[in-house]
Each structure stands twice: as structure tokens, then as C-alpha cells.
Amino acid sequence: MFDYVSKNTDKFLLLARGQMSVFPVADAKKSVIYNTIEYEVDTPVYGLKTAPYKLINISNYIPQKGLAELLDALKLLPQTQFSLDAYGNISDPDFYNSIVAKAKETSNVQIHEAINGAVKFERLKQAQLFICPSHNEGFPLVLLEAMSVGLPIVTTKVGFIEEMLGSDYPLYCEPNSATSLAQAINQFFELENKQELSERIKHLYHAKFSRLVHKQVLNQIFDIEN
């Protein structure tokens, strides 16, 4: 079936450059078009503040998203340095209940239900650091949303995240490691050029992942005149 499809299809659209070498089709038929987000919002200059920093996590409440390690990591940091708000769909009720119980061990962690649309972007704009400690990912749109508002990110290198942020991004951590995660968050706390990192992330979004770039790449792939 795949042989038939590959022979009778002119173009295959891949969502990451890392898929080029593993997708078994001639390179001439393959094009990369990065995902983009549903809509974009105007954002002011990154809200640089001194501690306590507002940390944010947005994901489904499942073990693979690394929230349990995040809560353990926060116990290793000075409690006066931060607060955390986590938002997500309750995909695994047992895990969600365990997270709620673990969060009660500290006074500066709040667990919330899912948010979307304008409310999500408002919460992102109010934060100083987005944390994505996933064990596995593909090309997470929530990171694009954080990037679009210039929000610094602590994350793992799983999936295609390294392709999104670059190999030289300074705030990576190891998956399944509360210690590594705590070190990366603390590195953010001590970072002198937070504003510079914010501008770098926002520029990267607009250069590679914005809705405008997405449209331009589509037009180029299908030879559509603007």
C-alpha cells in the first residue's frame, strides 16, 4: 500500500526536518512545513521581574509530561524564588489526584484545569518561564505558543524540540530527572540576560514558525502566487 501511495503522490509534507532522513521517499518529493499556531497575539516587551518568578506548565495530566518530576524539582529550589501554575486536561484521573496531593506539599504550586484561546495567551504573557519536562514529544504546539510571546522555556530535547529551539539553546534538561530539571530552572533564575533570551525566542518564532512564514512556505511548495 505504501509503495503504491509513494509512487502516485507528488508531494509529501513533513512537519520537521528531522523526518527527512527517516521517511522512505525520494528527497525530491519531500518538503518540510513547520506547524504554526491557531492565532497570534500582540505582546509587549518581556515582563522581566525579580524573584519570585511566575512559572507555568501547560500539558495533559499524564505521567509522560513530567509534571511529577517538576514538582520534585521545585522542592530542591529556594521556595521564595518562584510560584508555579500548572494547567491541563485531566486525561489520567489517578495521576491527576497524585499530582494534586503532591502539590499540597508546597504553598506556591497551584494545579488548574485546562485553559485555551485568549485565556491561555494571557497566562503565558503573565509568566516569566515556561516549563516542559516531557519524556517524549513530537512537535509541541504549546512551545510555539510560548515562543510567540517571547517566553523563556526550560525543556527536554525529546522529539523535535531541539529542532525548534536550536542545539545551542541554554535551558535544556534531561527527561525523568528532577535534579537536572532543578538545575535548569536555577540556571534561569541566575541568568543575567533574560530579556535577551526572550527576544531570541520571539525572533526565532517569527523567522521559522509564524503564520506568515507558514503561508509563504505553503505558497512556495505548491507554486501559488501571492
Side-chain angles (χ1 to χ4, degrees), residues 87-160:
Y87 302 89
N89 293 304
I90 305 174
S91 304
D92 183 333
D94 290 338
F95 179 74
Y96 171 77
N97 290 334
S98 70
I99 288 298
V100 170
K102 185 184 285 283
K104 290 179 179 178
E105 298 173 9
T106 58
S107 60
N108 50 356
V109 174
Q110 298 294 321
I111 305 297
H112 309 274
E113 294 186 3
I115 50 175
N116 294 288
V119 175
K120 181 194 291 188
F121 277 93
E122 192 59 35
R123 297 294 182 272
L124 290 171
K125 289 191 293 182
Q126 291 171 354
Q128 281 84 53
L129 180 67
F130 187 91
I131 306 178
C132 175
S134 296
H135 304 170
N136 55 71
E137 283 286 355
F139 201 95
L141 292 182
V142 69
L143 286 195
L144 293 185
E145 292 170 338
M147 292 171 68
S148 75
V149 299
L151 183 58
I153 297 164
V154 163
T155 186
T156 54
K157 289 185 179 181
V158 299
F160 297 107

